[in-house]
Amino acid sequence: MLWLEFKKLLEQRIIGVFILLCVVFNLLMIINIGFDQSYLKDVTAFKHEQGQLISPTSIETAEKLPFSKNQQRLVNELSEAEDVFSHLFYQELEEQVIDHYQVTGKMSQNLGNKYQQLEPVIKKLSQEKDALDIAAAGDTMNYFTYIRNVLFRMILLEGIIFAVLIGLYSSTSEKLTKTEALVFTSKRGRKIQFSKFLSGLGLVLLFYLLTTFIVMFSFQMTESLADLWQSSVSTQFHVNIYMPDILELPFITWIPLTLWGYIMASAVLGLFIIIFIYSSQFLVGLYFNHIFKGFVFTIFLIALHKLVRLYAFRLGWWTIFTGVNFLPIAIVENQSYWFTEMGIFSIIPLQETVVVVSSCLILGLLILPVSRLYSRKEVK
């Protein structure tokens, strides 16, 4: 029965068209990147010769390289390098964030506690000299930002849209085909919903995983970052930009991560988000028994969340602002800051991970009793 429901989903033409459009769009985005490959290659070669970290010796070596535009750029960037973590204290980060956003009350205390917990992380980054990772010098900022804020955001958005549509369709398809009375008049027929839930979940996860693989593999083939994937994401060339030129903080993750590790961790967290969204939409579809009504309800919740968050921020209602940031919708909106201190968007370490995993667990606990209740539901 499970395979039969999965096959029915695959046979829907609109699903095939959506997948094809996503693949074509993703490939076009990658083909048209147009970054400076020559500088990337020169710095990668220099890194192989001089080692992972910037030092006075590496600067001297760079100055002796044949004169070129890339050589001058490399010398300038290495000369300006500094181990920012060696003289960085959590109080500085706390003050910058609180002063910039004018945070008051309980939330300012919560932020202070969060940044205090960040102190051991800063010390470890200083000991390992992650800030001095050459990491293709400043050009990795372009690559890292593009992967994180364009490619991965695109993958996540496509996965979310697909999860919403499949979740609603899976739980309301009988309504669309006017067969709900026929199916739901028997207990066996009503139990089909659980098979539909599992088959839809499998299709959504397959779409997300394949999209992630295709995009990242295509990016690697066209841009070839090679061993730069193993560079630290906390190099001085990466920053967390909350407000350009006004509030830019070092890229500090709660756990040490390489560029590859960061992308993989983001992909795993995105997987949990997809599971949560699909499951919640399936339940919404069961409740409304109408795909369009369920979709409108979802859009309403998203719009309400954005409205409450916006006004809470503007009016300084920090308790409400803190609360809405603990919702999965806020985690998706804050995707650019995952695994970092996240500024005012979090008050506990790794808040995005805690919220998403706990939401999935709570939703999972609801699915079984709801499915049992629905199996006894009488058709009206």
Side-chain angles (χ1 to χ4, degrees), residues 148-182:
R148 182 179 54 140
N149 294 351
V150 178
L151 291 184
F152 186 73
R153 183 172 292 176
M154 178 176 66
I155 293 170
L156 187 62
L157 180 60
E158 290 170 355
I160 288 173
I161 293 174
F162 195 69
V164 169
L165 295 178
I166 297 300
L168 290 173
Y169 176 78
S170 296
S171 55
T172 61
S173 57
E174 284 82 10
K175 182 72 173 181
L176 294 174
T177 56
K178 301 185 185 301
T179 59
E180 72 273 18
L182 179 63

Side-chain angles (χ1 to χ4, degrees), residues 197-306:
F197 169 78
L198 293 179
S199 62
L201 179 61
L203 181 60
V204 168
L205 295 182
L206 182 63
F207 171 81
Y208 175 76
L209 292 173
L210 284 177
T211 303
T212 303
F213 174 78
I214 291 172
V215 170
M216 298 312 300
F217 179 78
S218 301
F219 179 82
Q220 171 63 17
M221 290 297 99
T222 56
E223 299 302 322
S224 186
L225 291 183
D227 61 343
L228 291 176
W229 285 110
Q230 302 306 316
S231 300
S232 172
V233 291
S234 296
T235 174
Q236 66 155 5
F237 301 113
H238 298 168
V239 293
N240 240 352
I241 302 175
Y242 294 99
M243 190 71 66
D245 300 322
I246 298 176
L247 184 60
E248 298 182 355
L249 304 181
F251 200 84
I252 307 174
T253 54
W254 287 99
I255 54 176
L257 290 172
T258 60
L259 178 57
W260 176 255
Y262 186 90
I263 299 304
M264 288 299 99
S266 297
V268 171
L269 185 59
L271 187 71
F272 278 94
I273 288 177
I274 298 301
I275 293 173
F276 171 80
I277 290 177
Y278 168 79
S279 302
S280 62
Q281 290 305 294
F282 191 90
L283 293 180
V284 167
L286 286 181
Y287 179 79
F288 285 99
N289 197 28
H290 195 285
I291 190 168
F292 182 71
K293 289 181 181 179
F295 184 74
V296 170
F297 177 73
T298 299
I299 297 299
F300 169 76
L301 287 182
I302 295 173
L304 179 63
H305 172 270
K306 291 186 73 69

